[in-house]
Amino acid sequence: MPLSSTPPSVPAELSQNARTVLEKRYLVKDRSGKPTERPEDMFWRVATVVAEADRRYGASDAQTQALAEEFYALMTQRRFEPNSPTLMNAGRPLGQLSACFVLPVEDALSNGQNGIYDTLRSMALIHQSGGGTGFSFSRLRGKGAMVRSTTGVASGPVSFMQLYDSSTDAVKQGGTRRGANMGILRVDHPDVLDFIACKEDLTKVTNFNISVGITEKFMQALKAGGSYDLIEPSTGAVAGQLDAKLVWDKMVLGAWRTGEPGVFFIDEANRYNPVPHLGAYEATNPCGEQPLLPYDVCNLGSVNVGYYVRDGQLDWEAFGRDIRTSTHFLDNIIDVNKYPLPEIDALSKRIRRIGLGVMGFADALIKLGIPYDTPEGVEMGRRVMEFLDVEGKKESERLAKERGPFPEWARSIWGPDETCARDADGKRIRPMQMLRNCNVTTVAPTGTISIIAGCSSGLEPLFAVAFMRNQAGVMMPDVNEDFVAIAKREGWYSDELMERIAKTGTVQHPEVPERWQKVFVTANLIAPEWHVRMQAAFQQHCDSAISKTTNFAHTATVDDVRAIYELAYQLNCKGVTVYRDGSRDGQVLSTGATE
Ligand code: CDP
């Protein structure tokens, strides 16, 4: 018997900001644009669709109902939220529930499957369903290379990326969100310098984030102060050499100017590819937290870790319980998802990749009284991620015993196979473990779902204690509730102080006790090195990658950015993204200080 469409009578605990976002973009609407469901109906719609998957594995009506109620409680109490497409599309005609995709782009205009224009079509379908797409353009022949059929010359990867960009503009994602893309080019591609420069003009390629795929060979050449080979992908021939430092300097300068290009340490990411027998990582999703194979997909979800801190203590038991339920939730999504392409559907069922992460990490630190930019803060980050990873895998193992491991398990890095599970030096990369999912953990930006949950985003520090947020064109005030509560409790609260904080973008004012100035430290006041140290601490225990922006003050120098790019490499990060305050217009978040 299908589950009742009436949600439990317990209302969702949502802030006004959360309700505004849901009404604007998530709730089902009638033709006049008026919502025909309440947030509670939305959460129940999601909970029932996802719980229904358990029936395939023998769950009774009563068990499915109980599970749906558990999922409903998780989401409405803001302990966990799945990525936006799940909230928007579950139980609706599109039924596409994932945020992240990577598509291959082969060096042909069209080959009926994955040539440039074939993939362009696939991209449009994914955007329409609310997903974001990543591409490696590294297989496309360099600009000026010969095109045999016409004896003309190729226009190169950058021009095709511009084509994808324009098409993204034309397809608004199902009317809900604008398409987001990641474009990657390997550092040994002949067009790499054009690629690095292609976003110098901030009005160009606006629907893409771009990152250079940095190889180990390149980093060795950089260390040695030498040059490295460029390889023409269509022939495999050496097409020239470039000085590694020259290329690195251009990337760093670009990042200093505009935040782009970012870096994707492609060999480091591939070391941890769980299914190397199926292919290599060439690209990531738009925000970088998911290196994915061609036609790979990931559905994300995030546990709000701040929720579990009560009276200065993190309730690890409750946190662990919810991590396990959330893992179950994400695994179920794979069975009920309606994928936009048959290739994606097939791969997702063979490897069952999921991405469980955290949000509200800065809130948790604040509630624990630990400043973000300290060894204690970083150690807490490592512990939280280790715990998430261990508990998530426990559940994935339990599901594997009950439902079977993911079909490619035996040859994956988790399985008994002697070749795939080994590093170049013959050591196992991961301990053998029977798992339902080839990857379990990640850390997403949680840009919108953190607003729905009313918490700080991902693993990021607070952006500001009081600020105005531009959400889907609406400027919304955001004031940190923990800060207000402490100020009132300790007797130094005033409206005038809050206004001053919003205007100046800092809590460094004489009436704020020094201890709280440290605990409520905001992104721009944190030395960039601590951002990267935190990212690296999370990365230690994360299957996939981490979405993290290292913030710089407007006055930071090019050398400051270079040092951070190099530190990220030394600390085994899979990528790095920086942002210098005020270097781009139209920031999503803004404090008075940057206006
Ligand atoms: O909070 P929400 O679930 O909406 O998304 P997020 O955690 O900020 O972003 C997760 C992923 O969703 C990104 O890495 C992209 O792959 C995708 N995304 C997208 O396609 N379009 C957007 N406008 C935002 C995110």
Side-chain angles (χ1 to χ4, degrees), residues 25-26 81-85 87-88 98-101 127 130-133 173 177-181 285-290 300 302 444-451 547:
R25 306 215 318 233
Y26 290 69
E81 305 298 341
N83 55 206
S84 289
L87 295 174
M88 290 167 173
S98 301
C100 315
F101 297 82
H127 286 176
T133 38
Q173 285 186 7
R177 53 181 179 182
R178 213 177 61 141
N181 300 295
N285 70 326
C287 301
E289 71 275 17
Q290 287 287 326
L300 311 174
S302 303
T446 72
T448 320
I449 59 169
S450 65
I451 300 175
S547 170

Side-chain angles (χ1 to χ4, degrees), residues 29-272:
K29 299 195 180 79
D30 63 18
R31 279 170 174 275
S32 72
K34 221 174 112 239
T36 55
E37 64 177 359
R38 300 165 305 152
E40 285 77 7
D41 303 316
M42 177 198 78
F43 286 120
W44 185 243
R45 165 166 63 72
V46 175
T48 49
V49 166
V50 181
E52 283 288 350
D54 264 44
R55 284 195 209 266
R56 301 170 188 225
Y57 308 102
S60 64
D61 279 352
Q63 285 167 328
T64 311
Q65 174 76 24
L67 185 65
E69 285 173 16
E70 211 177 327
F71 289 163
Y72 177 83
L74 262 190
M75 292 183 285
T76 50
Q77 293 174 10
R78 309 181 297 176
R79 285 140 58 193
F80 159 85
E81 305 298 341
N83 55 206
S84 289
T86 300
L87 295 174
M88 290 167 173
N89 298 337
R92 299 183 63 190
L94 263 178
Q96 196 295 100
L97 310 180
S98 301
C100 315
F101 297 82
V102 160
L103 296 172
V105 189
E106 289 295 337
D107 187 36
L109 285 186
S110 173
N111 58 12
Q113 200 206 355
N114 51 19
I116 297 166
Y117 281 84
D118 308 305
T119 293
L120 183 71
R121 175 182 174 275
S122 304
M123 176 190 83
L125 292 177
I126 292 174
H127 286 176
Q128 192 183 31
S129 73
T133 38
F135 311 91
S136 164
F137 294 101
S138 304
R139 289 164 200 246
L140 303 188
R141 70 194 69 186
K143 189 166 142 185
M146 228 234 311
V147 178
R148 212 175 309 154
S149 55
T150 59
T151 63
V153 291
S155 55
V158 172
S159 70
F160 288 117
M161 188 165 76
Q162 284 160 351
L163 168 77
Y164 279 41
D165 185 61
S166 307
S167 169
T168 303
D169 266 336
V171 183
K172 303 279 177 226
Q173 285 186 7
T176 49
R177 53 181 179 182
R178 213 177 61 141
N181 300 295
M182 172 64 86
I184 304 249
L185 198 73
R186 285 174 66 93
V187 71
D188 53 13
H189 190 283
D191 290 6
V192 68
L193 293 180
D194 278 357
F195 181 77
I196 292 170
C198 79
K199 292 201 69 176
E200 258 171 29
D201 176 349
L202 283 173
T203 63
K204 297 261 163 69
V205 215
T206 49
N207 301 303
F208 268 83
N209 292 327
I210 62 164
S211 279
V212 179
I214 293 288
T215 60
E216 197 46 41
K217 251 193 190 153
F218 173 86
M219 290 311 286
Q220 294 310 328
L222 181 66
K223 222 189 269 171
S227 55
Y228 69 102
D229 288 342
L230 298 177
I231 313 287
E232 168 50 47
S234 59
T235 59
V238 174
Q241 263 105 28
L242 280 174
D243 177 51
K245 182 164 183 314
L246 175 133
V247 174
W248 193 242
D249 283 352
K250 283 187 190 291
M251 286 173 53
V252 168
L253 182 64
W256 177 84
R257 273 202 197 124
T258 67
E260 293 196 278
V263 165
F264 173 41
F265 291 115
I266 198 164
D267 290 340
E268 180 66 12
N270 271 300
R271 239 167 78 73
Y272 297 98

Side-chain angles (χ1 to χ4, degrees), residues 337-348:
N337 208 343
K338 292 187 193 158
Y339 293 103
L341 296 173
E343 293 88 344
I344 295 173
D345 186 86
L347 184 59
S348 88

